[in-house]
Amino acid sequence: MIRSRIAHIAGYAPKKIVLSSEIEDTINKNSFLLPKGIIEQKFGVKERRFCETNDQASDLAVSAALKILEKVDKETIDCLLFASGSSDLIEPATANIAQSKLKLNCPAFDIKNACNSFASALQVADSFIKSASYKRILIITGEKLSTIIKLNPENKKDMSKRLACLSMGDAGSAALVEKANDESGLYAQIFQTYGDHWQLCTVPGGGSMFPHDGSKVYFEGKTKELRDIFIAKKGRIAEDCLSQAGWNYSEIDHFFMHHVSSSTFTLVAHSLNVQPEKFYSVLENYGNMAAASIPFAMSEAIDKGHLKKGQKIMLIGLASGISISVQLMIW
């Protein structure tokens, strides 16, 4: 059976460190809206990275991709997927901009599915490998989330619907997908969307609904409701995916899940009857990196010697929209 595998993976974080206390101080300049320490208390985030004003989502993705291109011949890459909630422009696809910066000569296009963009791109890349459409696919993610954080809320009501975005940070990631030539690779994946809940978390501005309304360019959402649906739905999806592969929870060495909050890691772990320590998190120092969360954490786990060849891992994607994905692989 043909399987795809991630041959190389890399993460990139901008140099600028922004403390949660700094964000609280900025918001509280005009009026007291946030108790001291509330961001770390609610989300488990002490700090995150913000890129420079002139850096774009494509630059973050390119910075991660260059780490991979140091190891492989760029001429062997025959497809480029930009998979991110962020984008440089509405038109053209950010993949085209990134392709120009990377000087790649291959088809390129965007896959946009909020925080599940990387997971969706991995599913598409897997299909491309199995159908022999392409042999080496580079998935890149650039999340410039600092631009959707509203630091001057009008009042407490306005602040409450934007609280979740205070955990966000900027980051890039890249993954090279190719045919597996050993026991490694992607063994099972299930993806499900519950579109009736699309209004729970949004960045309304810039599309056809609100094309010119500047007040709509910031994140807003009901994240508790979103989390409750994730907790209720993801268990069955994970179990079906394990059944598809013929695995069980006890075999999984590491769980990599989209970074929402430290409490979400704990709740999901307990609901799956899995030790929370098996969930690899970089949330404390990097925050919520949207679609870059999972590949960035995987890259760090490799660099620190935690993720090793031959280990079994589960990727859990949670995204507004809403969508849930579960993917199983041997590293």
Side-chain angles (χ1 to χ4, degrees):
M1 181 182 294
I2 295 175
R3 284 191 312 278
S4 67
R5 67 164 187 152
I6 297 176
H8 298 282
I9 195 163
Y12 170 78
K15 293 181 180 179
K16 184 180 179 181
I17 297 174
V18 180
L19 302 176
S20 290
S21 59
E22 293 179 74
I23 291 180
E24 291 165 359
D25 289 343
T26 300
I27 291 174
N28 289 334
K29 276 182 180 178
N30 297 321
S31 60
F32 182 79
L33 295 175
L34 288 176
K36 187 175 181 180
I38 190 65
I39 297 175
E40 184 176 351
Q41 178 187 327
K42 285 188 70 67
F43 302 104
V45 179
K46 289 185 177 180
E47 60 188 40
R48 79 283 291 135
R49 307 295 181 93
F50 283 176
C51 65
E52 299 300 323
T53 303
N54 291 332
D55 289 337
Q56 306 306 324
S58 61
D59 293 314
L60 297 168
V62 165
S63 294
L66 289 174
K67 295 182 180 182
I68 292 179
L69 295 182
E70 291 176 353
K71 304 173 184 177
V72 302
D73 180 1
K74 67 169 60 179
E75 297 302 321
T76 65
I77 295 172
D78 50 8
C79 185
L80 176 68
L81 305 180
F82 180 83
S84 182
S86 303
S87 61
D88 287 10
L89 304 167
I90 289 182
E91 187 78 13
T94 305
N96 300 332
I97 301 172
Q99 181 196 38
S100 174
K101 292 176 179 178
L102 290 169
K103 295 180 171 55
L104 292 176
N105 181 27
C106 63
F109 59 92
D110 286 3
I111 293 180
K112 186 178 179 67
N113 190 21
C115 298
N116 265 343
S117 296
F118 175 80
S120 295
L122 187 57
Q123 187 175 33
V124 170
D126 177 62
S127 296
F128 281 156
I129 296 297
K130 288 178 177 176
S131 66
S133 299
Y134 301 107
K135 294 181 178 179
R136 296 191 107 183
I137 302 160
L138 183 61
I139 302 172
I140 60 175
T141 299
E143 294 288 15
K144 187 177 179 179
L145 305 176
S146 52
T147 58
I148 63 172
I149 301 173
K150 190 173 183 181
L151 295 173
N152 57 341
E154 298 166 14
N155 48 49
K156 288 188 176 181
K157 182 179 180 180
D158 190 33
M159 182 72 265
S160 66
K161 68 180 182 181
R162 307 185 192 281
L163 192 61
C165 69
L166 303 184
S167 68
M168 293 178 176
D170 300 337
S173 70
L176 184 65
V177 181
E178 62 183 21
K179 182 180 176 181
N181 53 15
D182 53 21
E183 293 302 308
S184 66
L186 188 60
Y187 277 73
Q189 54 186 335
I190 293 180
F191 178 80
Q192 184 61 53
T193 302
Y194 304 93
D196 289 346
H197 305 288
W198 72 265
Q199 292 177 312
L200 286 179
C201 286
T202 63
V203 180
S208 61
M209 286 188 182
F210 306 100
H212 308 299
D213 189 341
S215 69
K216 300 288 187 180
V217 298
Y218 301 105
F219 174 92
E220 55 186 65
K222 299 177 180 179
T223 51
K224 182 186 180 301
E225 290 89 334
L226 193 71
R227 189 178 68 176
D228 289 345
I229 297 171
F230 288 155
I231 299 298
K233 301 286 188 182
K234 57 89 197 67
R236 179 59 185 270
I237 295 173
E239 289 166 9
D240 288 348
C241 198
L242 285 167
S243 177
Q244 192 179 106
W247 298 0
N248 57 61
Y249 286 119
S250 63
E251 295 178 66
I252 308 298
D253 296 292
H254 302 288
F255 294 78
F256 294 93
M257 187 174 73
H258 167 53
H259 291 49
V260 180
S261 68
S262 55
S263 61
T264 301
F265 279 94
T266 303
L267 284 169
V268 171
H270 287 164
S271 69
L272 299 179
N273 292 317
V274 172
Q275 294 175 326
E277 294 76 22
K278 282 194 170 187
F279 279 72
Y280 194 88
S281 170
V282 295
L283 186 75
E284 182 178 0
N285 296 319
Y286 296 100
N288 178 346
M289 298 172 282
S293 292
I294 290 175
F296 188 98
M298 291 173 67
S299 176
E300 183 179 283
I302 293 169
D303 292 342
K304 292 192 173 183
H306 298 294
L307 177 56
K308 300 174 182 178
K309 185 172 176 59
Q311 290 186 322
K312 292 182 177 180
I313 61 177
M314 175 183 284
L315 313 184
I316 303 175
L318 312 171
S320 60
I322 69 171
S323 65
I324 301 174
S325 70
V326 176
Q327 294 161 309
L328 299 173
M329 64 176 67
I330 294 179
W331 190 249

